Amino acid sequence: MLSDITLGQYFPGDSIIHKLDPRMKIIITIIYITTIFLASNIYTLIIVFIINIIIIFLSDIPFIVILKALKPLLFIIIFTVVINIFMTGGETLLFSLWFIKVYADGILYAVFMVIRIVSLVSATSVFITYTTSPTMLTDAIERLLSPLKKIKIPVHEFAMMMTIALRFIPTLIDETEKIINAQKARGADFYSGNILKRAKALVPVLIPLIISAFRRADELATAMECRCYRGGEGRTKMKQLHYNFNDLAAFVLSGVLLAGVIVSKRFLL
């Protein structure tokens, strides 16, 4: 289960999405998330979902990777579907048994929510982590937040902190799986008993995991000090970020998609 979590991983490539400016990727992601939440009917959301499929195809990221990213959210997706099917009313009754009533609107809204969750997770993963290296992501966040430097906010340190936190997720997941396998080899049981017993069984996993996380943080700090890292003051960039035609085209297309959803929400409903 833990090995299937791909959050925070970077997949090197030479696709169109990989070549986009990381600043534009963040901007497009924000626009896309806004579009998903503004899509208020199943038809506009299906269009957004189709575009999401096209984005995954253009990124050259295998669909199996996207499915692995969604696997940890399977419980949330199923819970959302059940809640919407049985708690949403409507005019067309499809099934009734005692106090359980299933309406057509409930099923439609359940599908609506699943498409929204899948689109949200897959698109943000493709743009932010799968196709953007940690260095480029740090530079992009720092450049986008650079106006905040005028009010003495440590933008470089903030960007570095966010990127390190994001990129340490796969490392911690891998470390957790190793610890669990080691505890299983010693006879530990994590799956039997009630919830309280299972929670207590996780204590031998959490303690070494926390110790390992602090050790890795200390090693990272030592490595940065050995390389004379002193924050963002006076630092230069080996690779300069530049917008190109593909960035402009992607921005225009995302803006058109957002405008189309707003128009459909305003005039077609």
Side-chain angles (χ1 to χ4, degrees), residues 63-75:
F63 280 91
I64 188 65
V65 173
I66 306 298
L67 294 177
K68 285 184 177 181
L70 295 172
K71 190 174 180 180
L73 300 176
L74 185 60
F75 174 78

Side-chain angles (χ1 to χ4, degrees), residues 89-108:
E91 298 179 357
T92 305
L93 181 63
L94 299 179
F95 176 79
S96 177
L97 178 62
W98 195 22
F99 64 92
I100 300 176
K101 295 182 180 180
V102 178
Y103 294 88
D105 291 344
I107 295 179
L108 184 64

Side-chain angles (χ1 to χ4, degrees), residues 27-171:
I27 295 172
I28 292 175
T29 301
I30 295 173
I31 295 175
Y32 192 80
I33 292 174
T34 305
T35 303
I36 291 175
F37 283 105
L38 286 179
S40 56
N41 62 71
I42 192 66
Y43 305 107
T44 55
L45 197 60
I46 287 177
I47 294 175
V48 173
F49 183 72
I50 293 174
I51 294 176
N52 184 52
I53 298 296
I54 296 174
I55 291 172
I56 297 174
F57 178 77
L58 292 176
S59 68
D60 289 338
I61 300 297
F63 280 91
I64 188 65
V65 173
I66 306 298
L67 294 177
K68 285 184 177 181
L70 295 172
K71 190 174 180 180
L73 300 176
L74 185 60
F75 174 78
I76 297 176
I77 294 175
I78 294 176
F79 180 77
T80 302
V81 169
V82 172
I83 289 297
N84 283 282
I85 288 178
F86 295 107
M87 300 298 292
T88 303
E91 298 179 357
T92 305
L93 181 63
L94 299 179
F95 176 79
S96 177
L97 178 62
W98 195 22
F99 64 92
I100 300 176
K101 295 182 180 180
V102 178
Y103 294 88
D105 291 344
I107 295 179
L108 184 64
Y109 199 70
V111 174
F112 184 89
M113 293 302 297
V114 170
I115 295 177
R116 175 173 283 178
I117 294 174
V118 171
S119 300
L120 184 65
V121 173
S122 58
T124 53
S125 298
V126 167
F127 277 119
I128 300 300
T129 60
Y130 292 165
T131 62
T132 310
S133 67
T135 303
M136 300 300 288
L137 186 60
T138 303
D139 291 346
I141 296 175
E142 183 179 358
R143 292 287 293 274
L144 289 175
L145 298 179
S146 58
L148 297 178
K149 292 181 180 179
K150 296 181 179 179
I151 56 176
K152 306 300 181 181
I153 293 180
V155 174
H156 175 81
E157 288 73 12
F158 177 73
M160 179 68 72
M161 179 180 62
M162 288 183 59
T163 306
I164 291 176
L166 184 63
R167 293 308 179 185
F168 257 80
I169 292 176
T171 303

Side-chain angles (χ1 to χ4, degrees), residues 206-255:
L206 294 177
I207 294 177
L209 181 63
I210 294 173
I211 295 174
S212 174
F214 277 106
R215 184 180 68 251
R216 290 183 182 275
D218 183 65
E219 292 174 353
L220 179 61
T222 302
M224 294 173 73
E225 289 180 357
C226 291
R227 290 166 174 80
C228 300
Y229 176 79
R230 295 294 182 271
E233 190 66 29
R235 292 179 63 88
T236 58
K237 308 294 183 183
M238 185 178 70
K239 294 183 179 180
Q240 298 295 326
L241 300 179
H242 299 286
Y243 293 113
N244 54 38
F245 177 78
N246 290 336
D247 296 314
L248 178 61
F251 178 75
V252 171
L253 290 175
S254 61

